[in-house]
């Protein structure tokens, strides 16, 4: 998602709204960088996971491409991987260096929408004076966690998100910041399997961050 990325999530100024906005859906095609910081504690073992992702999301053609760079202080692991998901062929490819791993991709691609059961929190803006960006904030539950998200009023573009909870004795608090977001897909070849891969191994990767990658693919699941 470069040696360091600093995501500064500025506190928006709350505005009174006469009627609560309805949950919305992100554009069907968009690209951007997602900065991530997460603190966690798993049965007394604490750590911090920091990094970034670059994402190309194409709901129109049912494609998703994510490059991930993450450092985990708890395990000492560094991850640099590229994931391509094709929901038409129902295949997922994980590319790490020259190794390509293929696995089946069950189900259908979910449109990135704030769920209908989300609660509107407030309208707010980022910036000051004439350089302001209007946004809406929502919160909604997931199994074992709570999600707070801010999106632009115009276009439902994600700005910031926090996720916190406790799942199977894994307590965590995660913050995501979205920057350099553009609509459309500039270069559709990002969804191509790299020719540098000598072969594709038909097995599921033993990959510590599969949960995150799945989360990225359906984070606004209805």
């Amino acid at each position: 998602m470069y040696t360091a990325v600093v995501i500064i999530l500025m506190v928006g100024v709350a505005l009174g709204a006469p009627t609560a906005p309805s949950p919305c859906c992100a554009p069907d095609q968009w690209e951007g960088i997602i900065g991530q910081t997460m603190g966690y504690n798993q049965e007394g073992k604490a750590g911090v996971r920091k990094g970034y992702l670059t994402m190309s999301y194409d709901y129109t053609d049912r494609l998703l491409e994510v490059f991930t760079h993450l450092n985990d202080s708890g395990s000492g692991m560094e991850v640099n991987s590229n994931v391509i998901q094709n929901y038409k062929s129902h295949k997922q490819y994980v590319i790490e260096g020259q190794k390509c791993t293929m696995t089946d991709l069950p189900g259908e691609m979910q449109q990135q929408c704030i769920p209908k059961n989300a609660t509107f929190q407030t309208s707010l803006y980022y910036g000051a004076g004439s350089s302001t960006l209007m946004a809406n904030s929502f919160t909604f539950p997931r199994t074992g966690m709570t999600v707070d998200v801010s999106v632009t009023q115009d276009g439902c573009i994600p700005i910031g998100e926090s996720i916190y909870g406790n799942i199977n004795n894994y307590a965590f608090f995660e913050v995501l910041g979205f920057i350099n977001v553009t609509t459309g897909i500039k270069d559709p070849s990002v969804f191509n399997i790299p020719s540098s891969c000598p072969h594709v191994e038909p097995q599921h990767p033993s990959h510590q961050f599969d949960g995150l990658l799945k989360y990225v693919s359906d984070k606004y699941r209805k």
Side-chain angles (χ1 to χ4, degrees), residues 4 11 15 47 122 147 166 175 184 215:
V11 177
L15 302 174
T122 188
V147 180
N166 190 319
V175 176
Y215 164 74

Side-chain angles (χ1 to χ4, degrees), residues 9-212:
L9 298 179
M10 299 182 66
V11 177
V13 179
L15 302 174
T19 57
S22 299
C24 57
C25 296
D28 284 347
Q29 295 179 322
W30 68 274
E31 298 176 303
I33 299 173
I34 306 171
Q36 181 212 27
T37 300
M38 182 175 74
Y40 64 87
N41 187 309
Q42 186 171 22
E43 298 179 344
K45 183 178 180 180
V48 176
R49 184 179 296 171
K50 297 177 67 175
Y52 66 95
L53 308 90
T54 62
M55 184 165 75
S56 297
Y57 167 83
D58 187 346
Y59 183 70
T60 302
D61 290 320
R62 304 301 195 266
L63 295 165
L64 179 74
E65 184 271 339
V66 180
F67 172 77
T68 304
H69 171 78
L70 289 175
N71 288 284
D72 189 323
S73 68
S75 65
M77 176 179 284
E78 178 178 308
V79 171
N80 292 282
S81 66
N82 190 39
V83 174
I84 299 173
Q85 294 181 335
N86 186 323
Y87 280 87
K88 287 185 177 179
S89 64
H90 293 283
K91 297 296 182 183
Q92 172 177 275
Y93 302 86
V94 178
I95 301 110
E96 296 176 292
Q98 294 298 306
K99 180 180 179 181
C100 299
T101 306
M102 180 181 69
T103 186
D104 291 334
L105 189 65
E108 301 301 322
M109 189 176 193
Q110 300 297 313
Q111 189 175 16
Q112 289 185 339
C113 297
I114 297 173
K116 294 179 180 179
N117 67 336
T119 300
F120 170 70
Q121 291 183 305
T122 188
S123 294
L124 52 97
Y125 66 84
Y126 295 82
S130 60
S131 300
T132 57
L133 177 65
M134 304 301 298
N136 292 324
S137 176
F138 296 87
T139 184
F140 54 92
R142 287 282 179 83
T143 303
M145 69 183 79
T146 299
V147 180
D148 297 324
V149 60
S150 294
V151 297
T152 61
Q153 289 186 2
D154 183 11
C156 198
I157 306 296
I159 301 172
E161 187 167 331
S162 65
I163 309 103
Y164 53 94
N166 190 319
I167 300 175
N168 296 328
N169 295 319
Y170 185 90
F172 64 93
F173 187 95
E174 178 183 31
V175 176
L176 303 172
F178 298 77
I179 63 172
N180 297 347
V181 175
T182 57
T183 56
I185 303 297
K186 292 186 288 292
D187 182 6
S189 69
V190 298
F191 302 114
N192 295 342
I193 306 304
S195 59
S196 60
C197 295
H199 63 282
V200 176
E201 301 178 12
Q203 61 183 25
H204 193 281
S206 175
H207 197 290
Q208 180 175 344
F209 296 102
D210 279 345
L212 171 62

